[in-house]
Amino acid sequence: MPDTMKRRIDPGFVLAFSIIAFSSCSAFYLPGLAPVSFCEVSEADDCQTDIQLFVNRLDSVESVLPYEYDVFDFCQDEMEKRPSENLGQVLFGERIETSPYKFSFKKDIKCQKTCTKTYSKDKPEYKDKLDFLKRGMQLNYQHHWIIDNMPVTWCYEVEDSQKYCNPGFPIGCLVTSDGRVKDACVINSEFIKKNTFYVFNHVDIKIKYHSGENEGWKGARLVAATLEPKSIAEADENNPVCDGPPMEVPGEFESDVKITYTYSVTFEPNTEIKWASRWDYILVSMPHTNIQWFSIMNSLVIVLFLSGMVAMIMLRTLHKDIARYNQVDQADLVKIPPPTGKASISYEDAQEESGWKQVHGDVFRPPRKGMLLSVFLGQGTQIFIMTFITLFLACLGFLSPANRGALMTCAVVLWVLLGTPAGYVSARLYKTFGGEKWKTNVLLTALLCPGIVFADFFLMNLILWGEGSSAAIPFGTLVAILALWFGISVPLTFMGAYFGFKKPAIEQPVRTNQIPRQIPEQSFFTKPIPGIVMGGILPFGCIFIQLFFILNSIWSHQMYYMFGFLFLVFIILLITCSEATILLCYFHLCAEDYHWWWRSFLTSGFTAVYLFVYAVHYFFSKLQIVGAASTILYFGYTMIMVLIFFLFTGTIGFFACFWFVNKIYSVVKVD
């Protein structure tokens, strides 16, 4: 597994984050659900004796298409049951079900047969099943098993003798016709036959438990579950010995193939690992967390640089401008006797010094396409509040990986419930722009951007349906999402718009002239496009390292848990977008270009374009995705991310600039 896809948590993060008053926000401690006690003999209702192993969907770093466990024709549970899934799990395509791997607490098992699968070369349906299994090994599809809501991990050594625990393990591996081997085949030197697949049909499972005898509670709690996959060709399927040469599946299906699946289980007491920190052995084993600190320091340097620039403008340049303008106004624009030792000040002198006051009669002129801008800002406000609350809850530990699907469920529910601020902001700004088509405004706010996201999502879902992937959203869930949208979000948006239109338009500090002022010839750097392109560079520089880990968690199936870091980067992004937009807005106003409404939105919103460029780079440099369907799915879902990020960052930049412009024109005296 590549080095860049592995990371570990630094305990020092807890101290760093507590400095900014979030001492409880730690990416190191991941609270799960309520603990379950296990006993050898059932002593009470809350003490279980049987342990059920659950299986989740199988995925691959070489394909975006996940598949259910049963699709690969593995051993199935005769009494198969599916635990209830929340909305987030369904949207992420998690398909958890019971497996035939069942055992009793503290009862070791040696080489237990699960089932035998026979593939006859004379029957086409068996050929299709075996071909699909071999295709899964070729694309390195990974099992994901669960015991007591905890991933069963495959731990092995990587470079520098460091231990890495992978929350999944491959179904097998392939030695190609030219002798090249997949990563998983490296674990066994006997995997050498060319054009041959090796199935991992045996697993040695080790379960560690922490006894509660000395801590005041009965039974024991499971604190770790690891396994070691093996490939074994059983000579006698009725009396397996789980030892021998590897299980080979030839590339060409010329004879019958028989695969016997077996497992062994051992229980081991452990006094060091507590139940509350049982995920730590997975997370701490992931190397290269130092890059997270580099990301934070890099972002802070950018913020300090921008803050210095903005402070210099606000405290020095603007302060002098305002004092000079006001002094000129008080002198009725005529030359007045200067103070001793100082040159006289006139309106012409002030005009030469700075040009931002000269556009005071046009700076609040309503923008073109004000309807669309107000709709974008309403949706951006909704996304901003949703993101802030979701990250804050995740930072506190409520949305940890132990609580499966909680992150997506929280985000969707919050988005649905935040229709009111979206409608209010959109209506209030549209009224300020002088718009009168309030029905069109509220309908576009409720339907435009969510409609684009849903249409993209639905098209991607059609591809998943066609490929038979487990990530395909069931039709009933799609109906439920539409019901949430039209039944809750749209009415709340209408309600917010009602209150927004009832409020008076935002009062501007200066009057707008009837005749627009002519904008002088602009230099290259103060023209719209160069300014917008430059404005997105610094905000993207603050997030691109964190973006790498987020993309890893989505497409390379890495476990993301560093919400404390993410919340810090989120705050830094807010500051950077605001300061970069204010800085460029001031330069443009000094150049007497008063078209700042759309420019302030697009300046910080252009960060989304850099995000898309980085996603393209990530696709070609970091992923090994093959197939047209997987490629379309990657870029289809990426476009949803880009749109949401565009609205989010654009809204931040607009409101920062809106505050700045109102502030400077409210303190200068204008006749």
Side-chain angles (χ1 to χ4, degrees):
M1 189 169 286
D3 299 351
T4 52
M5 292 184 183
K6 301 166 190 165
R7 56 200 186 281
R8 59 183 172 84
I9 193 70
D10 192 331
F13 166 67
V14 179
L15 177 61
F17 205 57
S18 64
I19 295 175
I20 60 170
F22 286 105
S23 57
S24 59
C25 302
S26 169
F28 191 75
Y29 173 67
L30 293 174
L33 304 178
V36 178
S37 297
F38 292 90
C39 306
E40 292 185 73
V41 180
S42 182
E43 301 174 356
D45 294 337
D46 58 349
C47 195
Q48 300 183 14
T49 57
D50 297 328
I51 299 175
Q52 172 68 67
L53 188 147
F54 291 89
V55 291
N56 202 344
R57 65 177 187 176
L58 286 85
D59 51 39
S60 168
V61 295
E62 299 182 29
S63 175
V64 178
L65 302 169
Y67 289 100
E68 290 194 52
Y69 180 82
D70 295 343
V71 176
F72 286 94
D73 195 37
F74 297 125
C75 301
Q76 299 180 18
D77 184 12
E78 296 179 356
M79 305 292 291
E80 182 179 300
K81 294 181 181 179
R82 292 181 181 270
S84 59
E85 297 170 340
N86 56 43
L87 180 61
Q89 288 178 289
V90 176
L91 292 177
F92 271 126
E94 290 198 21
R95 297 293 184 265
I96 299 176
E97 59 190 67
T98 57
S99 74
Y101 299 92
K102 302 175 183 179
F103 22 86
S104 299
F105 180 65
K106 291 183 70 173
K107 291 186 178 179
D108 294 351
I109 299 174
K110 179 65 175 177
C111 198
Q112 175 69 42
K113 174 187 171 183
T114 307
C115 73
T116 299
K117 294 289 183 177
T118 303
Y119 302 92
S120 174
K121 65 182 181 63
D122 299 326
K123 296 183 179 180
E125 62 270 21
Y126 287 122
K127 182 180 185 304
D128 294 339
K129 290 181 179 180
L130 191 60
D131 285 345
F132 194 80
L133 181 64
K134 290 192 288 188
R135 177 68 174 168
M137 288 185 277
Q138 185 177 0
L139 293 177
N140 196 25
Y141 269 84
Q142 305 269 320
H143 285 282
H144 294 282
W145 290 3
I146 302 167
I147 289 180
D148 191 29
N149 195 42
M150 183 174 52
V152 183
T153 57
W154 175 32
C155 298
Y156 51 88
E157 286 190 355
V158 292
E159 68 281 351
D160 300 328
S161 299
Q162 289 184 315
K163 192 176 182 182
Y164 174 70
C165 290
N166 187 358
F169 68 96
I171 62 177
C173 63
L174 164 66
V175 179
T176 61
S177 55
D178 57 358
R180 290 185 297 108
V181 298
K182 291 283 187 178
D183 294 340
C185 280
V186 181
I187 66 174
N188 193 326
S189 59
E190 297 182 14
F191 297 167
I192 56 175
K193 189 176 292 187
K194 296 181 179 180
N195 194 26
T196 302
F197 296 87
Y198 294 92
V199 183
F200 291 142
N201 59 331
H202 175 82
V203 287
D204 287 327
I205 303 173
K206 180 185 291 185
I207 299 176
K208 297 181 180 180
Y209 61 91
H210 184 87
S211 179
E213 295 179 359
N214 300 325
E215 299 186 21
W217 45 272
K218 294 183 179 180
R221 294 172 182 173
L222 308 187
V223 293
T226 60
L227 59 76
E228 182 182 354
K230 295 181 179 179
S231 179
I232 300 172
E234 293 293 349
D236 186 356
E237 63 181 76
N238 295 319
N239 296 295
V241 294
C242 299
D243 190 18
M247 178 65 215
E248 299 175 358
V249 178
E252 301 296 330
F253 192 21
E254 298 176 348
S255 59
D256 293 352
V257 175
K258 215 177 255 191
I259 304 176
T260 300
Y261 292 92
T262 55
Y263 68 96
S264 300
V265 179
T266 56
F267 288 86
E268 180 180 302
N270 186 287
T271 57
E272 299 177 357
I273 304 175
K274 304 294 184 182
W275 184 89
S277 58
R278 62 181 185 163
W279 286 69
D280 292 358
Y281 84 96
I282 306 172
L283 307 181
V284 177
S285 69
M286 299 180 179
H288 304 297
T289 281
N290 289 336
I291 197 170
Q292 290 287 344
W293 289 110
F294 171 76
S295 169
I296 298 296
M297 296 305 299
N298 170 67
S299 303
L300 287 175
V301 168
I302 294 175
V303 167
L304 291 174
F305 168 74
L306 284 175
S307 299
M309 293 287 289
V310 172
M312 183 180 66
I313 290 174
M314 298 291 288
L315 298 179
R316 297 187 59 187
T317 310
L318 267 175
H319 181 73
K320 290 181 179 179
D321 287 347
I322 292 168
R324 183 179 296 109
Y325 284 141
N326 290 343
Q327 188 175 1
V328 170
D329 288 334
Q330 292 170 3
D332 296 324
L333 302 181
V334 296
K335 188 172 293 187
I336 60 175
T340 304
K342 293 187 179 179
S344 61
I345 301 174
S346 67
Y347 182 77
E348 288 76 14
D349 294 332
Q351 192 176 35
E352 291 176 3
E353 182 68 23
S354 178
W356 62 266
K357 186 190 174 185
Q358 298 183 57
V359 296
H360 68 83
D362 297 274
V363 73
F364 291 105
R365 188 176 302 282
R368 301 186 183 95
K369 307 291 183 183
M371 169 80 78
L372 186 61
L373 180 59
S374 64
V375 169
F376 282 174
L377 292 169
Q379 283 294 321
T381 303
Q382 187 177 12
I383 294 169
F384 168 74
I385 300 174
M386 175 200 74
T387 307
F388 179 82
I389 297 175
T390 301
L391 287 180
F392 184 73
L393 292 176
C395 182
L396 294 177
F398 294 113
L399 309 179
S400 72
N403 196 359
R404 303 174 189 278
L407 185 71
M408 178 61 78
T409 303
C410 178
V412 172
V413 170
L414 284 173
W415 180 85
V416 169
L417 297 177
L418 289 170
T420 302
Y424 179 84
V425 169
S426 178
R428 190 85 191 279
L429 288 172
Y430 182 62
K431 189 173 183 179
T432 302
F433 296 157
E436 297 178 353
K437 300 178 181 178
W438 64 271
K439 294 180 182 178
T440 306
N441 174 262
V442 68
L443 284 173
L444 287 176
T445 304
L447 302 177
L448 179 62
C449 297
I452 294 173
V453 171
F454 184 82
D456 188 327
F457 186 77
F458 183 74
L459 289 175
M460 297 304 103
N461 206 50
L462 288 178
I463 297 175
L464 292 170
W465 273 337
E467 296 289 335
S469 172
S470 65
I473 308 301
F475 180 76
T477 304
L478 287 177
V479 173
I481 293 173
L482 288 174
L484 290 173
W485 179 14
F486 287 99
I488 300 177
S489 180
V490 172
L492 289 176
T493 305
F494 272 78
M495 185 174 70
Y498 170 77
F499 289 110
F501 279 113
K502 281 191 68 177
K503 286 275 189 178
I506 300 173
E507 185 178 351
Q508 310 296 2
V510 292
R511 293 191 301 270
T512 301
N513 296 334
Q514 293 184 351
I515 301 175
R517 177 188 177 90
Q518 185 176 0
I519 299 175
E521 183 70 23
Q522 300 292 303
S523 66
F524 174 78
F525 292 104
T526 56
K527 288 181 179 179
I529 294 180
I532 290 171
V533 171
M534 289 187 296
I537 295 176
L538 291 178
F540 178 75
C542 294
I543 65 167
F544 80 97
I545 296 178
Q546 197 67 225
L547 184 63
F548 171 77
F549 293 104
I550 294 174
L551 292 178
N552 270 353
S553 69
I554 297 173
W555 304 114
S556 297
H557 314 295
Q558 300 292 305
M559 192 174 295
Y560 192 87
Y561 56 92
M562 296 171 288
F563 295 110
F565 281 120
L566 187 59
F567 191 78
L568 274 175
V569 172
F570 172 80
I571 300 299
I572 291 172
L573 177 64
L574 296 184
I575 299 172
T576 309
C577 285
S578 303
E579 293 181 342
T581 308
I582 289 173
L583 205 59
L584 290 171
C585 179
Y586 174 76
F587 292 150
H588 290 126
L589 290 176
C590 286
E592 301 179 31
D593 185 353
Y594 51 83
H595 294 307
W596 64 274
W597 300 95
W598 270 107
R599 185 176 294 169
S600 63
F601 184 86
L602 296 175
T603 297
S604 54
F606 201 80
T607 310
V609 177
Y610 291 107
L611 185 150
F612 178 75
V613 172
Y614 183 82
V616 174
H617 164 74
Y618 180 85
F619 178 82
F620 288 105
S621 63
K622 303 297 181 183
L623 298 181
Q624 302 93 39
I625 289 178
V626 294
S630 293
T631 303
I632 294 172
L633 287 167
Y634 176 86
F635 286 103
Y637 287 126
T638 298
M639 292 308 298
I640 294 177
M641 294 170 53
V642 169
L643 174 61
I644 293 173
F645 196 73
F646 170 72
L647 297 173
F648 166 69
T649 52
T651 301
I652 296 169
F654 175 87
F655 282 112
C657 194
F658 185 78
W659 170 84
F660 172 75
V661 173
N662 273 272
K663 191 70 175 176
I664 64 174
Y665 283 98
S666 64
V667 295
V668 70
K669 295 180 180 179
V670 178
D671 289 337

